[in-house]
Structure formats: C-alpha cells, structure tokens
Amino acid sequence: MRILVVEDDKDVASFVVKGLREAGHVVEQTPNGRDGLFMAASESFDAIVLDRMLPGGVDGLRLLETLRAQDNHTPVLFLSAMAQVDDRVRGLKAGGDDYMTKPFAFAELLARVEALTRRGKTDTPTTRLVTADLEMDLLSRTVKRAGQKIDLQPREFRLLEFLMRHAGQVVTRTMLLEGVWDYHFDPQTNVIDVHVSRLRQKVDKPFPIALIHTVRNAGYMLRVEEA
Amino acid sequence: MKLVQSLSAILVIGTATVQAQPQPDPQPAIRVTSDTTEFCDHLSRYFARISAGHHTVPAASRALADEGGRLCAQGLIRAGISRLRMALYRLRPNR
Amino acid sequence: MPDAAGGETAADAAAGDAVADAAGGGAAGKPAGIDRPGRLARWRRWNRAAPSPVAEEEVPAPNFLRSAAVRFGVIYAALFGISAIALAAFLWWSTAGLLERQTDAAILTDSLGLTERFAEGGPKALVETINDRVLGNVDDDALYLLVDSASQRVAGNLESWPLRMAMDEDWDELRIERAGVASLARIHYFELPGGFRLLIGRDVELRSQLRVMMADAMFWAAVIALILGTIGAWAVRGLFRSTIADVSATAMAVSAGDFTRRVRIAGHEDEFDLLAETINDMLDRISSLMDGVRQVSNAIAHDLRTPITRARTRLEDAAIHATTEAELRAAVDRAMLDLDGVVSVFQALLRIAEIEAGARRSAFAPFDLAPLLTDLAELYDAAAEERGVRFQTSIPATLPSFGDRDMVQQAVANLLDNALKFSPADTTVQLTASLTPGGIAIVVADQGPGIPPEDRNRAAERFFRGESARSTPGSGLGLALVQAVAHLHGGSLNLDDGAPGLHAVLTLAGRIKPEAPRSITIASK
C-alpha cells in the first residue's frame, strides 16, 4: 500500500517510515505542509499519516480541509501532540478518520493505519464475514464455526465482528475499546483482556485451531495460523 | 485648587453682602433735637408742671425725675432724658 | 487626570523590572500587557510614607491634586464651608431681618395713627400728638418731623428735613446725630394735605450694630470653616490614605512574592473592613491555589522521576551488562512500559487540568445516564468475575442527565477500576444510581480495605496514594479526575466508610446551564 507521511520531526518521521516499510508498505515522506498537500493532491495514496503542527504555512488541519474540499477522500490519520479532547474533535471534524496522540506505540500506529486502508476498501456493505472455518452472518446475527453454531452475547458478537473485519491485522486494546464500546479512555484494569478471553472460550476453546491470537505489546489478531 | 478658590469666593461674597449696606449719601447727619440739654430741661419743667397738678406723686417717679435732671446736668443727656421719660410714664393716670 | 506614566523615568522602569525579577525569581516574569513598572512607581510616589521594599529613586514631585485623597478632602472642606454659610445666612435672615420687619411695622402703625390725628384735628392736633410722643418715647428711638410747605419745621425732634428726599421714594435710611454720636435711622415720609410733610423714623443703630456683629461673625465663621475644613480634609485624606496604603502595601508585598501578607482589619466592620476581608479571602484562595500548584509540581517531579529513573537505569544496565540480544530487548521493552506509565500520568494530569479549566462545558448536552452505566457495568462485569468478585448493579430504567457524556463515563470507570483493584476475591462491588432531589447520585461500593478516615479528605488530591494503595499499580490520579468531573457537573465526590470497604458517592447536578457564570457575592457579616 502507498502511504504518505507528513511529519516534520525527523526522528519520528524516520521511525514511522522505517516501520511502515518493514510492514511491507510503500512510503512517501515530506516534512512540509505545503509539499504534503501537493503530493496528497497530485498522487494517489491509500492512507496519509498527518502531523497537525507543520512548517511551511500549511498546518495539518488546513491541509486536510483543502484536500477534502477537492473531494479527495484518502483516509487520514492524525498524529499529533495536541492531546486535548477538543483538539481531537477538531481533527475529526476537519475530515480526519482517526486521531492518535504523541507519544505513541508504533504497533498502535501500524494497526490503525492498516485498519484505515481496510476501511477504505470495503465500501460495499457486506452481510457475511468469513475467516477460515469461522462464519458470521451479519443479517441473522449468527456465528458458525465448522458448521457448528456458537451462541454469543450481543457485545461478544460485536467484538468478534470487529476482529473479523480486521482479520489479519493487529487490533489494539484501545482500538477495541473505541470500536466496540465507543469509549475514549484508558481503563486501569484489564477489562478488554477479560472480554477477549471470554470470547476465546466460545470461539477457540472447542476447536483444534485457535484463531484469536495475542500480539505481544500490541493487542490481538484474528488470523489463520500458517501451518 | 479650583474647589478651594470657589470656596473662598463664596465666603468673601457672603461676608461682603452682609457688610455692603446701602451707603447713606454724603449729606450731613441730621441732628436729633430730643437729645439736647434744652430738651432735658424742657422735660424737667414739664414733669414739674404735671406733678404739680397731681395730688400724690409716686416717690419712685419723683426720684427718677430728680435723677434724670442730675444726669442731664452732668452731661449724660440721653440717660437723663430716659429717666425723665420713665418718670413721666409713671405719672400717667391710665397706667 | 493626566496619566502619571507619562512622567516615567528610565530609572523608574529599571527599578520596576528589578522588583518583578526579584519577586518571581525571574521565573514568573512580567505579566504581558501591564505597565507594571509605571504602576509600581506611581504607587510608590503616592505612598511614600509606607516602607518600600525598593530603594527610593528619582521620581517627579508628587502632584498634590493627583491624589484622590486630597480631592476627597477638598470636597469635604467645600461642603463644610457651604453649610457654614447657609447657617449664617439663615441666622441673618431670622434675626436682623426680623428686627427690620418689626421696625417697619412699628413705623407704619405710627404713621397710620398720626395720619388719623391729622385728619381729625388738623395740623394742631398732629403737632400735639407728635410732641406727646416725643416726650413719652420711653424707648428713646422714635423720630418725627413735620414740616410745612416751605420746609420749615413745625414739630418733631429732627432738626431739618433731609436734603435729598424726593417724594417718589417714601422709605429710606438716614444718618442722624444723637448727642454728638452718629447713628442710623429707618424713616418713612409722606405728604399730608395742606403742603405738610411728615417724616416718621426709628433709630436702628442697634440693628446696624447687629449687622456689623453678624458680618464679623460670618467672616470669622468663614475663616474657621476654612481652617476646620482644611484640617478635616487632611484628616479624611489621612484616613483614606492609611486604609488604601495598607491595601496597596499588601498588594505590593504580595506581587513581590510575599504571600503571607494580609490587609489589616481595623475591626470597625465598615466598608473598608469588608474590602479588606474580601481582599484577604482572595489572597487566601490564591495562596491555597499556589500551594496546590506547588504540591502538584512536587508530586509530578517525584512521581515522574521515579519511573523515568527506573527506565534509565534499565537501559543503562542493559547497555553495560547485557550479553545477549534477548536481554537487551527485554530491558528495552520494560523501559518502554515505564515510559508508557509516564505518558499516561501526563495524559491524566492534562485531562484533569482540562476539566478543571471548565473548557468542556461547551460540550455539555443532555444524555441518558442509565444506558451509559449499564454498558460500563457490562464492561466491568467480566473483569469482576475473573477476579472472583461479585458485581451487583441497581440502575433505574432511565436517568436523564446533562453534561459531558465521555467525562462522566470516564469518572465512573475510574471508580469501578478502583473498586475492582482493591477488592479481594469473594467480596461484592455494587454500582447503584438513583435520582436525588439535587440531581443524580452514583454510588460505587466495595468491600475492600477502604480508606482510613484521616486520608479520606486527601484521597481525591492529585497523586495522593494511601498506605494500602502504595503497593498497587496506579497513578494516584483516578479519584482526582472523578472529583474534577463532579465539580464540572456542579456535583461532588464523597468518600464514606462502607464498613467494610469504600463507599464512593459521585453526585451530579441534574441540570446545570453550560457556561454558567460564577456569581460573585460579597458576604457581609
């Protein structure tokens, strides 16, 4: 995937670029808002990682607003040190698809960027999600594994749905909290882990192969273990 | 300072109004004839004439008249005239 | 009034800067946009009597009238003088005026009587009457003069008809001479049939003496009023200045960094005392806020230094002693965890500051608290079960509320986090919500160790961690955030003894207006 990183801090930029390239993405990078706008408008990217405070007269918000005004809907993830709730709201209102505050864990950034690109692709509403022998019917709200029906609580269903929509991607605890519960805070207790482990009891335990994996220092991933 | 000035101005005007009275013009003062030795004598004689017509003259009245005559003789004319007038007043029948 | 700052000298400005720098240790700096040196110099000039913390420097001579105190004093003197004059004028009118009116009345009565005599008995009867009256005038003040058409004296006790008397003016003042002594008379004259002219007067020497006396009295009253007014003005000025000077000296001391100074309260329970009390209350509030800031900065310094030190030590240790890559990675990972902890403390602090600043009020909206609590209960129920803790809820079907949904969510989550963190296995955590007359009460009760009574007041302070909490992970900011949220919503956080355990009550005002201005009231005692 082609990703544009607009970030003026050299260390952060090179760290992000290196990490994204290692994850197999093609990355363009500029430290300057004006150039960033030019590149974003003239080339095609799958996602943009955008700092808010940028040199060159065009800051992140202006860049994004201009881009959206040109009917460019490339997914944008804000990466900013401005951490207040209002800043976040402003960023999302301007057309941002996600908002991360610095300092950040790269795993989280990668997970979110990949989630954004995925979101961009699945525009057509799906009614069925399938990963290996796990099937989810979104209309009848039923889940089957190896043809066997699995009973899930509504919240467990949504948790599994989120994991399945991001199958093959790392999903962090924060993403789960935001995506499944719509909470924007960081609980001190391991509430997410408990819910995931409950889900595992139902989805993985009775079957020989586990689908929900823990990714150390990052979160979870639903994927088929390569043999 | 304005206030102090206006304050003193008010005071000066105030005192001036009280003091500045219509000044009588330079015509000489007119003498009062009832303040003279002649008038005093006239009063003494008048008292003697009136008291002569009375049967009884009060002692106080006579004493006042005598004292008035004496004061006039000493030059204290207004005081003397005043005594004599009091003496006459006391002789009045309708008193 | 011209601005005194116009006369500022360079020395002034420099000295002012020196004060500001000495005060704030250079850190506080000068408040932007305020002409601080100029103001200081003006105060100092004005306030010369008060001991100044700064060496006196050259200042332009104080303009006397620039002082508000002097203006007050002059106004006082003016009022004093005007009332003195008003009193004197009234006295004049009621004494001299009365005498004058009485004299005129007596003359008029006299002239009526004499005119009647003339009408009845002609000139002869009039002459007799005049002679009688002159003889019997016990008061020795009556003046009469009857002249014929040739201005020759016919009767009376005046020597001659006054020269200037024209007949168009029948009332006048006349100078007379009585036994060689000058005197003044009030006279009335008129014509009688047959060319006779009659003058009737009264010696008013007494009145003119009174007039002189009154004039003298008024003059001296004016002088005394001026003197007393000036003294009073100085007294008012002094009173004014001593009060203001104390306030200004205190304010200057405080602005120079001495927060222990307070305005002296004279004990008169007057407006100045009220002002002093209000200022002192304000200073108390400021210094308690400053203490809070200082305490928080110390806590930050300590609480952040510890994990940073730990991370640094790990990294250094690994750099020196790690022999395998795995060891190195493990050390780096653990250091990263420590730094993540630092970041989360920072975020919590910023969040609390944001809430306390009230900036979130603009995001207030009506919302139903009941589903919010149910969702949270669902989120935490699993965590409780895993720990072997029973989780009970009692939430009404609907709880209409008004505020910042996310903040309330986080506050309740913090309370639940706390409760679960301190709950031993096989105990119960209860989440109860109910409508109260004042709004909504959310109760989170656990059966853990609770908070000892002596710590309960401080438990919601930033970074406060009780003895029992030291061993558990946490930033010491959870309850501080809950309290900030409660205050933002016009409510409170009460920590009670659950016997056993903690009974945390978060109240929210049912409906508070967004951006409600804080009313400023001066409590009068």
Short mmCIF file of all heavy atoms in Angstrom, two decimals, chain C residues 88-134:
data_model
loop_
_atom_site.label_atom_id
_atom_site.label_comp_id
_atom_site.label_asym_id
_atom_site.label_seq_id
_atom_site.Cartn_x
_atom_site.Cartn_y
_atom_site.Cartn_z
N ALA C 88 -25.21 80.71 58.53
CA ALA C 88 -25.07 82.13 58.85
C ALA C 88 -26.17 82.93 58.15
O ALA C 88 -26.78 83.84 58.74
CB ALA C 88 -23.70 82.62 58.41
N ALA C 89 -26.43 82.61 56.88
CA ALA C 89 -27.46 83.32 56.12
C ALA C 89 -28.82 83.15 56.79
O ALA C 89 -29.58 84.11 56.91
CB ALA C 89 -27.50 82.79 54.69
N PHE C 90 -29.06 81.97 57.26
CA PHE C 90 -30.35 81.74 57.93
C PHE C 90 -30.45 82.57 59.22
O PHE C 90 -31.47 83.18 59.50
CB PHE C 90 -30.49 80.25 58.24
CG PHE C 90 -31.73 79.94 59.03
CD1 PHE C 90 -32.97 79.96 58.40
CD2 PHE C 90 -31.66 79.66 60.38
CE1 PHE C 90 -34.12 79.69 59.12
CE2 PHE C 90 -32.81 79.39 61.10
CZ PHE C 90 -34.04 79.41 60.47
N LEU C 91 -29.33 82.58 59.96
CA LEU C 91 -29.32 83.37 61.20
C LEU C 91 -29.58 84.84 60.91
O LEU C 91 -30.35 85.51 61.58
CB LEU C 91 -27.97 83.21 61.91
CG LEU C 91 -27.84 81.98 62.79
CD1 LEU C 91 -26.44 81.91 63.38
CD2 LEU C 91 -28.88 82.02 63.90
N TRP C 92 -28.91 85.34 59.86
CA TRP C 92 -29.06 86.75 59.46
C TRP C 92 -30.52 87.04 59.12
O TRP C 92 -31.10 87.99 59.61
CB TRP C 92 -28.16 87.01 58.25
CG TRP C 92 -28.38 88.35 57.64
CD1 TRP C 92 -28.95 88.63 56.44
CD2 TRP C 92 -28.05 89.60 58.23
NE1 TRP C 92 -29.00 89.96 56.22
CE2 TRP C 92 -28.46 90.60 57.33
CE3 TRP C 92 -27.47 89.99 59.44
CZ2 TRP C 92 -28.30 91.95 57.57
CZ3 TRP C 92 -27.31 91.34 59.68
CH2 TRP C 92 -27.71 92.29 58.77
N TRP C 93 -31.09 86.21 58.33
CA TRP C 93 -32.46 86.41 57.90
C TRP C 93 -33.40 86.40 59.10
O TRP C 93 -34.32 87.19 59.21
CB TRP C 93 -32.82 85.31 56.91
CG TRP C 93 -34.21 85.45 56.36
CD1 TRP C 93 -34.59 86.24 55.33
CD2 TRP C 93 -35.36 84.79 56.84
NE1 TRP C 93 -35.93 86.13 55.12
CE2 TRP C 93 -36.44 85.25 56.03
CE3 TRP C 93 -35.63 83.87 57.85
CZ2 TRP C 93 -37.73 84.80 56.21
CZ3 TRP C 93 -36.92 83.43 58.03
CH2 TRP C 93 -37.96 83.89 57.21
N SER C 94 -33.16 85.51 60.05
CA SER C 94 -34.11 85.32 61.14
C SER C 94 -33.90 86.34 62.26
O SER C 94 -34.79 86.54 63.06
CB SER C 94 -34.03 83.91 61.68
OG SER C 94 -32.76 83.67 62.19
N THR C 95 -32.74 86.99 62.35
CA THR C 95 -32.55 88.00 63.41
C THR C 95 -32.67 89.40 62.86
O THR C 95 -33.65 90.12 63.14
CB THR C 95 -31.20 87.82 64.11
OG1 THR C 95 -30.17 87.83 63.12
CG2 THR C 95 -31.14 86.52 64.87
N ALA C 96 -31.68 89.79 62.06
CA ALA C 96 -31.69 91.14 61.51
C ALA C 96 -32.93 91.38 60.68
O ALA C 96 -33.57 92.43 60.77
CB ALA C 96 -30.43 91.35 60.67
N GLY C 97 -33.29 90.41 59.90
CA GLY C 97 -34.46 90.53 59.04
C GLY C 97 -35.71 90.74 59.87
O GLY C 97 -36.54 91.60 59.56
N LEU C 98 -35.80 89.98 60.95
CA LEU C 98 -36.97 90.09 61.81
C LEU C 98 -37.06 91.50 62.43
O LEU C 98 -38.12 92.14 62.42
CB LEU C 98 -36.89 89.04 62.91
CG LEU C 98 -38.08 89.02 63.88
CD1 LEU C 98 -39.32 88.50 63.16
CD2 LEU C 98 -37.78 88.16 65.09
N LEU C 99 -35.89 91.95 62.92
CA LEU C 99 -35.86 93.29 63.52
C LEU C 99 -36.31 94.33 62.51
O LEU C 99 -37.11 95.23 62.83
CB LEU C 99 -34.44 93.62 63.99
CG LEU C 99 -34.00 92.94 65.29
CD1 LEU C 99 -32.57 93.29 65.60
CD2 LEU C 99 -34.92 93.36 66.43
N GLU C 100 -35.81 94.23 61.29
CA GLU C 100 -36.13 95.19 60.25
C GLU C 100 -37.63 95.20 59.97
O GLU C 100 -38.24 96.26 59.88
CB GLU C 100 -35.36 94.79 58.99
CG GLU C 100 -35.24 95.92 57.98
CD GLU C 100 -34.09 95.65 57.03
OE1 GLU C 100 -33.01 95.26 57.53
OE2 GLU C 100 -34.28 95.82 55.83
N ARG C 101 -38.18 94.00 59.88
CA ARG C 101 -39.61 93.93 59.61
C ARG C 101 -40.43 94.51 60.77
O ARG C 101 -41.43 95.18 60.56
CB ARG C 101 -40.01 92.47 59.33
CG ARG C 101 -39.56 91.98 57.96
CD ARG C 101 -40.14 90.62 57.64
NE ARG C 101 -39.71 89.60 58.58
CZ ARG C 101 -38.54 88.97 58.52
NH1 ARG C 101 -37.68 89.28 57.55
NH2 ARG C 101 -38.21 88.05 59.39
N GLN C 102 -39.94 94.25 61.97
CA GLN C 102 -40.66 94.80 63.14
C GLN C 102 -40.61 96.33 63.12
O GLN C 102 -41.61 97.02 63.40
CB GLN C 102 -40.05 94.27 64.43
CG GLN C 102 -40.58 92.89 64.78
CD GLN C 102 -39.99 92.38 66.08
OE1 GLN C 102 -39.00 92.91 66.57
NE2 GLN C 102 -40.60 91.35 66.63
N THR C 103 -39.42 96.87 62.83
CA THR C 103 -39.27 98.33 62.78
C THR C 103 -40.24 98.92 61.76
O THR C 103 -40.97 99.88 62.05
CB THR C 103 -37.83 98.68 62.37
OG1 THR C 103 -36.94 97.98 63.20
CG2 THR C 103 -37.57 100.17 62.48
N ASP C 104 -40.25 98.33 60.56
CA ASP C 104 -41.11 98.84 59.51
C ASP C 104 -42.57 98.79 59.94
O ASP C 104 -43.34 99.73 59.69
CB ASP C 104 -40.91 98.03 58.22
CG ASP C 104 -39.60 98.39 57.54
OD1 ASP C 104 -38.85 99.19 58.13
OD2 ASP C 104 -39.32 97.86 56.46
N ALA C 105 -42.93 97.69 60.60
CA ALA C 105 -44.32 97.56 61.06
C ALA C 105 -44.65 98.67 62.06
O ALA C 105 -45.72 99.30 61.99
CB ALA C 105 -44.53 96.18 61.67
N ALA C 106 -43.72 98.93 63.00
CA ALA C 106 -43.96 99.95 64.02
C ALA C 106 -44.12 101.33 63.36
O ALA C 106 -45.03 102.10 63.71
CB ALA C 106 -42.80 99.98 65.02
N ILE C 107 -43.23 101.63 62.40
CA ILE C 107 -43.31 102.93 61.71
C ILE C 107 -44.65 103.07 61.01
O ILE C 107 -45.31 104.12 61.07
CB ILE C 107 -42.14 103.06 60.71
CG1 ILE C 107 -40.82 103.18 61.45
CG2 ILE C 107 -42.35 104.26 59.80
CD1 ILE C 107 -39.61 103.16 60.56
N LEU C 108 -45.05 101.99 60.36
CA LEU C 108 -46.30 102.03 59.61
C LEU C 108 -47.49 102.29 60.54
O LEU C 108 -48.35 103.13 60.26
CB LEU C 108 -46.48 100.71 58.86
CG LEU C 108 -47.06 100.81 57.47
CD1 LEU C 108 -46.25 101.78 56.61
CD2 LEU C 108 -47.11 99.44 56.81
N THR C 109 -47.51 101.59 61.65
CA THR C 109 -48.59 101.77 62.63
C THR C 109 -48.61 103.23 63.11
O THR C 109 -49.67 103.87 63.17
CB THR C 109 -48.37 100.86 63.84
OG1 THR C 109 -47.92 99.61 63.38
CG2 THR C 109 -49.63 100.70 64.65
N ASP C 110 -47.41 103.73 63.41
CA ASP C 110 -47.25 105.10 63.87
C ASP C 110 -47.81 106.09 62.85
O ASP C 110 -48.59 107.00 63.19
CB ASP C 110 -45.75 105.37 64.07
CG ASP C 110 -45.52 106.11 65.36
OD1 ASP C 110 -46.50 106.39 66.07
OD2 ASP C 110 -44.34 106.39 65.67
N SER C 111 -47.41 105.85 61.59
CA SER C 111 -47.85 106.83 60.58
C SER C 111 -49.34 106.79 60.34
O SER C 111 -49.98 107.82 60.13
CB SER C 111 -47.08 106.60 59.27
OG SER C 111 -47.12 105.25 58.92
N LEU C 112 -49.93 105.58 60.47
CA LEU C 112 -51.38 105.49 60.34
C LEU C 112 -52.07 106.30 61.43
O LEU C 112 -52.99 107.10 61.16
CB LEU C 112 -51.82 104.02 60.41
CG LEU C 112 -51.66 103.24 59.11
CD1 LEU C 112 -51.98 101.75 59.34
CD2 LEU C 112 -52.56 103.81 58.03
N GLY C 113 -51.55 106.10 62.66
CA GLY C 113 -52.13 106.82 63.80
C GLY C 113 -52.03 108.33 63.60
O GLY C 113 -53.02 109.08 63.78
N LEU C 114 -50.87 108.80 63.18
CA LEU C 114 -50.66 110.24 63.03
C LEU C 114 -51.51 110.81 61.89
O LEU C 114 -52.06 111.91 62.00
CB LEU C 114 -49.18 110.54 62.78
CG LEU C 114 -48.27 110.29 64.00
CD1 LEU C 114 -46.83 110.60 63.67
CD2 LEU C 114 -48.73 111.12 65.19
N THR C 115 -51.62 110.03 60.79
CA THR C 115 -52.45 110.49 59.69
C THR C 115 -53.89 110.67 60.16
O THR C 115 -54.57 111.64 59.80
CB THR C 115 -52.41 109.47 58.54
OG1 THR C 115 -51.07 109.03 58.36
CG2 THR C 115 -52.91 110.08 57.24
N GLU C 116 -54.34 109.73 60.96
CA GLU C 116 -55.71 109.83 61.50
C GLU C 116 -55.87 111.10 62.35
O GLU C 116 -56.86 111.83 62.20
CB GLU C 116 -56.00 108.62 62.38
CG GLU C 116 -56.90 107.59 61.70
CD GLU C 116 -57.01 106.34 62.54
OE1 GLU C 116 -57.35 106.45 63.73
OE2 GLU C 116 -56.71 105.25 61.98
N ARG C 117 -54.90 111.35 63.23
CA ARG C 117 -54.96 112.55 64.08
C ARG C 117 -55.06 113.82 63.22
O ARG C 117 -55.83 114.71 63.50
CB ARG C 117 -53.70 112.67 64.98
CG ARG C 117 -53.60 111.63 66.05
CD ARG C 117 -54.69 111.75 67.08
NE ARG C 117 -54.58 112.96 67.88
CZ ARG C 117 -55.63 113.53 68.51
NH1 ARG C 117 -56.83 112.99 68.38
NH2 ARG C 117 -55.48 114.62 69.24
N PHE C 118 -54.24 113.81 62.13
CA PHE C 118 -54.25 114.98 61.26
C PHE C 118 -55.62 115.14 60.61
O PHE C 118 -56.16 116.25 60.52
CB PHE C 118 -53.17 114.81 60.17
CG PHE C 118 -53.04 116.00 59.28
CD1 PHE C 118 -52.34 117.14 59.75
CD2 PHE C 118 -53.59 116.04 58.00
CE1 PHE C 118 -52.21 118.24 58.93
CE2 PHE C 118 -53.46 117.16 57.19
CZ PHE C 118 -52.76 118.26 57.65
N ALA C 119 -56.19 114.02 60.18
CA ALA C 119 -57.50 114.08 59.54
C ALA C 119 -58.56 114.55 60.52
O ALA C 119 -59.47 115.31 60.15
CB ALA C 119 -57.85 112.69 58.99
N GLU C 120 -58.42 114.14 61.80
CA GLU C 120 -59.44 114.51 62.79
C GLU C 120 -59.28 115.96 63.24
O GLU C 120 -60.22 116.75 63.23
CB GLU C 120 -59.33 113.62 64.04
CG GLU C 120 -59.91 112.24 63.84
CD GLU C 120 -59.45 111.29 64.94
OE1 GLU C 120 -58.90 111.77 65.96
OE2 GLU C 120 -59.62 110.06 64.74
N GLY C 121 -58.00 116.29 63.61
CA GLY C 121 -57.81 117.59 64.28
C GLY C 121 -56.93 118.56 63.55
O GLY C 121 -56.58 119.62 64.11
N GLY C 122 -56.54 118.24 62.33
CA GLY C 122 -55.70 119.17 61.57
C GLY C 122 -54.29 119.27 62.13
O GLY C 122 -53.90 118.51 63.02
N PRO C 123 -53.54 120.24 61.61
CA PRO C 123 -52.12 120.37 61.97
C PRO C 123 -51.91 120.53 63.47
O PRO C 123 -50.96 119.96 64.03
CB PRO C 123 -51.68 121.64 61.24
CG PRO C 123 -52.69 121.88 60.19
CD PRO C 123 -53.97 121.25 60.63
N LYS C 124 -52.82 121.21 64.13
CA LYS C 124 -52.63 121.49 65.54
C LYS C 124 -52.63 120.20 66.36
O LYS C 124 -51.75 119.95 67.18
CB LYS C 124 -53.75 122.41 66.04
CG LYS C 124 -53.45 123.05 67.36
CD LYS C 124 -54.37 124.27 67.59
CE LYS C 124 -54.13 124.89 68.95
NZ LYS C 124 -54.70 124.09 70.02
N ALA C 125 -53.63 119.37 66.11
CA ALA C 125 -53.73 118.09 66.84
C ALA C 125 -52.51 117.22 66.55
O ALA C 125 -51.96 116.57 67.44
CB ALA C 125 -54.99 117.36 66.41
N LEU C 126 -52.08 117.28 65.28
CA LEU C 126 -50.92 116.47 64.91
C LEU C 126 -49.68 116.91 65.67
O LEU C 126 -48.93 116.08 66.21
CB LEU C 126 -50.69 116.60 63.40
CG LEU C 126 -49.56 115.77 62.82
CD1 LEU C 126 -49.81 114.28 63.05
CD2 LEU C 126 -49.40 116.02 61.32
N VAL C 127 -49.49 118.22 65.74
CA VAL C 127 -48.33 118.75 66.46
C VAL C 127 -48.36 118.32 67.91
O VAL C 127 -47.35 117.86 68.46
CB VAL C 127 -48.28 120.29 66.34
CG1 VAL C 127 -47.25 120.88 67.30
CG2 VAL C 127 -47.97 120.71 64.92
N GLU C 128 -49.54 118.38 68.52
CA GLU C 128 -49.68 117.96 69.92
C GLU C 128 -49.29 116.48 70.09
O GLU C 128 -48.53 116.12 70.98
CB GLU C 128 -51.12 118.15 70.39
CG GLU C 128 -51.34 119.41 71.18
CD GLU C 128 -52.82 119.62 71.53
OE1 GLU C 128 -53.50 118.58 71.77
OE2 GLU C 128 -53.26 120.77 71.51
N THR C 129 -49.88 115.71 69.20
CA THR C 129 -49.60 114.28 69.29
C THR C 129 -48.11 114.01 69.15
O THR C 129 -47.52 113.20 69.88
CB THR C 129 -50.37 113.52 68.20
OG1 THR C 129 -51.70 114.00 68.17
CG2 THR C 129 -50.36 112.02 68.45
N ILE C 130 -47.50 114.67 68.15
CA ILE C 130 -46.06 114.45 67.93
C ILE C 130 -45.28 114.83 69.19
O ILE C 130 -44.42 114.05 69.66
CB ILE C 130 -45.57 115.25 66.70
CG1 ILE C 130 -46.13 114.62 65.41
CG2 ILE C 130 -44.05 115.29 66.65
CD1 ILE C 130 -45.82 115.40 64.16
N ASN C 131 -45.63 116.00 69.76
CA ASN C 131 -44.92 116.42 70.96
C ASN C 131 -45.09 115.42 72.09
O ASN C 131 -44.13 115.08 72.79
CB ASN C 131 -45.40 117.81 71.40
CG ASN C 131 -44.81 118.91 70.50
OD1 ASN C 131 -43.78 118.68 69.86
ND2 ASN C 131 -45.46 120.07 70.45
N ASP C 132 -46.34 114.95 72.24
CA ASP C 132 -46.62 113.92 73.26
C ASP C 132 -45.73 112.70 73.06
O ASP C 132 -45.14 112.17 74.00
CB ASP C 132 -48.09 113.49 73.16
CG ASP C 132 -48.95 114.27 74.14
OD1 ASP C 132 -48.37 115.17 74.79
OD2 ASP C 132 -50.16 113.97 74.25
N ARG C 133 -45.71 112.29 71.80
CA ARG C 133 -44.97 111.04 71.54
C ARG C 133 -43.49 111.23 71.76
O ARG C 133 -42.81 110.32 72.24
CB ARG C 133 -45.22 110.56 70.10
CG ARG C 133 -46.67 110.11 69.98
CD ARG C 133 -46.90 109.15 68.86
NE ARG C 133 -48.30 108.69 68.94
CZ ARG C 133 -48.91 108.01 68.00
NH1 ARG C 133 -48.25 107.70 66.90
NH2 ARG C 133 -50.16 107.64 68.15
N VAL C 134 -42.97 112.39 71.40
CA VAL C 134 -41.55 112.65 71.64
C VAL C 134 -41.26 112.65 73.13
O VAL C 134 -40.29 112.04 73.59
CB VAL C 134 -41.12 113.99 71.01
CG1 VAL C 134 -39.72 114.38 71.47
CG2 VAL C 134 -41.15 113.89 69.50
#
